[in-house]
Amino acid sequence: MCGIVGYVGRQAAAPILVEGLRALEYRGYDSAGIALHDGAEGFRVFRASGKLIQLQTRVDWGDPSSCGIGHTRWATHGRPSEENAHPHRSSDGKVVAVHNGIFENYLELRAELASEGISFQTETDTECFPLLVGLLMSKGAGFLEAFSGAVGRLRGIWALACLRADEPDRILVARSGPPLAVGLGEGEQFLASDVVPLLRHTRRVVYLEDGDLGELTREGLRLFRLDGPAPERRVHQVPFDPVAAEKGRYKHFMQKEIFEQGSALSNTLLNRLPVEPGEAIPLDLPYGPEDWRGIERIHIVACGTSWHAGLVGKFFIEQLARVPVEVDYASEYRYRQPVVQPGTLALGITQSGETADTLAALREAAALGARTLAICNVQGSSATRSAQATLLTHAGPEIGVASTKAFTTQLAVLLLLALRLGEERGSVLPEIRATLLEGLRQLPAQLERAAALEGRILQWAHRWKEARDFLYLGRGPMYPIALEGALKLKEISYIHAEGYPAGEMKHGPIALIDRHLPIVALLPADAHREKAISNLQEAAARDGRILALVQEGEEGLNGIAEDALPMPRIHPWLAPILYTIPLQLLAYHIAVLRGCDVDQPRNLAKSVTVE
């Protein structure tokens, strides 16, 4: 989950590397460092514990070096500290490397290196790599040969970048698992774990595949492999606007991304809503009628927020297409020996397209005979390249660690998929289809109306910012939204929160209810409303402090709720998307009032590229 950058060209490397790390800091912010070629001297290495601002105070901004690598860390092996910060060196100081991932055999490598009389300066697994490269070179191997030999000894997952002191203007790279992208310039090349740092310099990007090794020089990129001939990789033209990755007038990326959800959803729906009556929903999937009708069951695999989207997707698909759906945490799926029968579609949901557990679950499903489909926000990511088909969410860059617009656009794509599958199977009623499509057309404006309720939500945040626990309740498709609301609050404010099905409250959580417990209740005008209100009466009878999200005109709840937020009128099946917005804003404002780092919450990272 760390971030890697690299540059070779004619410009001063230090500003480019630090700027790139700033764009990647969402991937980890325990420590950071850069290494710059320094002619005959070898390297100048700058490292610091803590966030990137600590490194910025140490870098020599006048350094003229035009080649270097950098790293921002999410700690796995070894505590967050300056000595454990990357880049790491070989024993003679002539090799430096940065690494994203985990070497599963690092203890074996450390024992081998120790037997050669080599000592260690850090607690990390990464240090083994430059030490091993240096050892192989001390025995006569050239840089490329030693680098390749060291990569061949690794087990686990890695994205690597490596420099040799006496070979300036040359970066060696390797990938097996975590993402690595090369930006192609004129007389200069750029390297990063994500395309966002590349966008200020180039839109021409090559994504390394698993097993690829490469050499970056001013002249370009040369790829090779240990297990076969040199590969050819397509050059992608990346459409993202770098301005979209800036905060603009907002205080935090998360706040900006909450308010972008109307426009993000418009992009998701662009060219995906039928124009003529009877026209099929144009999802641009490589499926013919027999393919659609051949889907007999769906396995959804995802992690975190995307897993919550999958739970809502289960409701959409089973209701509209009448296809049975299982939703698994991707980290559990491949270890439970899943039963994959003919006609199974494995649907992986991932914002980044690089979530290690989701990629592994999709590979497992494919190996067992399932067709694979990815719902993803990043074109060219591992998920989009490995799945047999992809539905992009087109949410735009999401920088805040706590996902917002990626989630709501995932829900919209899942609804479109359910409708299309229902069309092909003849299971969706025409009037339901027409109503939902019209609701989707109006939904971007509805999201903006929901975001405009920020002032009321800020009042809630002031009232409850000191609470130690929250309970979120919902029924039907609103239950996963309760889970998502609780997750958002936990992630960024560090308040314990639990999402629960309202009907199950009396089977345990009711024991927690007293006058100090805020209960956020999700009450759209759906088939579950009356039952949910009965559940809330049980909570109110025990002095629970109920904050309700309700449809306009139905705010009262007969005095059950302490406060009610009137939401725009909307079809109940679209309510999960709409009602997410206030929950995001509530978590955001409570976190801000508590002085938390909203965009970079402790211990978290945006793209989880390790198991």
Side-chain angles (χ1 to χ4, degrees), residues 449-528:
R449 286 187 61 197
L453 298 170
E454 184 179 28
R456 286 284 302 275
I457 297 163
L458 182 58
Q459 293 175 10
W460 285 11
H462 277 286
R463 189 185 314 169
W464 293 108
K465 66 180 185 294
E466 301 300 334
R468 296 182 61 184
D469 303 277
F470 267 74
L471 182 62
Y472 289 70
L473 298 177
R475 296 194 72 146
M478 302 307 292
Y479 160 53
I481 304 307
L483 291 174
E484 175 62 12
L487 177 63
K488 283 291 154 287
L489 190 68
K490 281 183 282 195
E491 285 181 309
I492 62 173
S493 75
Y494 318 139
I495 295 174
H496 172 258
E498 187 171 0
Y500 226 75
E504 288 292 302
M505 177 190 64
K506 53 187 170 289
H507 297 287
I510 198 167
L512 302 173
I513 294 175
D514 59 21
R515 63 187 179 87
H516 302 292
L517 180 70
I519 302 170
V520 179
L522 308 178
L523 293 171
D526 61 12
H528 305 280

Side-chain angles (χ1 to χ4, degrees), residues 12-290:
I16 294 172
L17 295 175
V18 174
E19 175 192 85
L21 292 178
R22 185 178 298 111
L24 288 179
E25 200 174 10
Y26 68 88
R27 298 181 65 88
Y29 29 87
D30 296 331
S31 58
I34 63 172
L36 304 171
H37 260 301
D38 194 25
E41 300 269 329
F43 300 106
R44 298 190 72 191
V45 176
F46 305 92
R47 303 188 304 178
S49 179
K51 296 193 175 182
L52 188 62
I53 187 66
Q54 304 300 322
L55 176 66
Q56 290 176 253
T57 63
R58 300 188 179 189
V59 170
D60 178 1
W61 297 105
D63 192 303
S65 173
S66 59
C67 180
I69 55 177
H71 186 272
T72 183
R73 184 172 186 244
W74 185 81
T76 55
H77 296 69
R79 68 190 186 283
S81 64
E82 183 175 341
E83 60 267 25
N84 289 330
H86 300 210
H88 294 306
R89 301 176 186 250
S90 59
S91 297
D92 61 6
K94 294 184 178 180
V95 176
V96 294
V98 293
H99 166 222
N100 174 23
I102 290 175
F103 299 149
E104 294 175 354
N105 61 331
Y106 85 101
L107 291 175
E108 174 187 320
L109 294 174
R110 284 176 73 99
E112 178 183 334
L113 290 163
S115 71
E116 297 277 354
I118 294 173
S119 59
F120 301 89
Q121 307 302 315
T122 81
E123 302 168 299
T124 70
D125 57 336
T126 301
E127 188 184 13
C128 294
F129 188 78
L131 291 174
L132 184 55
V133 173
L135 175 63
L136 294 174
M137 294 193 71
S138 72
K139 295 182 177 182
F143 182 31
L144 181 57
E145 181 185 1
F147 178 83
S148 302
V151 169
R153 294 290 312 281
L154 302 175
R155 293 199 309 271
I157 60 172
W158 58 83
L160 289 160
C162 191
L163 300 176
R164 169 71 177 170
D166 54 4
E167 298 193 33
D169 301 330
R170 187 187 192 196
I171 305 174
L172 297 184
V173 297
R175 181 212 164 159
S176 180
L180 207 53
V182 175
L184 304 178
E186 297 295 329
E188 57 184 356
Q189 316 303 326
F190 306 85
L191 176 72
S193 296
D194 186 358
V195 296
V196 173
L198 308 178
L199 298 181
R200 291 188 175 278
H201 310 287
T202 180
R203 300 290 181 88
R204 300 175 63 239
V205 175
V206 174
Y207 297 97
L208 273 64
E209 301 283 358
D210 283 353
D212 283 357
L213 287 78
E215 176 187 60
L216 274 72
T217 64
R218 291 180 179 181
E219 287 68 41
L221 168 66
R222 181 174 71 91
L223 292 176
F224 52 97
R225 295 180 69 88
L226 299 179
D227 58 359
E232 292 186 8
R233 301 289 179 228
R234 184 163 70 93
V235 178
H236 296 261
Q237 291 287 340
V238 180
F240 282 173
D241 181 350
V243 175
E246 300 294 339
K247 279 186 284 194
R249 64 184 177 88
Y250 294 95
K251 185 176 181 180
H252 299 96
F253 279 113
M254 183 179 178
Q255 183 186 31
K256 172 177 178 280
E257 288 155 7
I258 290 172
F259 279 88
E260 284 179 339
Q261 286 176 103
S263 59
L265 188 65
S266 295
N267 291 333
T268 302
L269 300 175
L270 183 65
N271 298 324
R272 284 175 167 164
L273 297 178
V275 177
E276 300 296 333
E279 177 188 350
I281 293 172
L283 291 185
D284 194 26
L285 288 173
Y287 297 166
E290 293 304 315

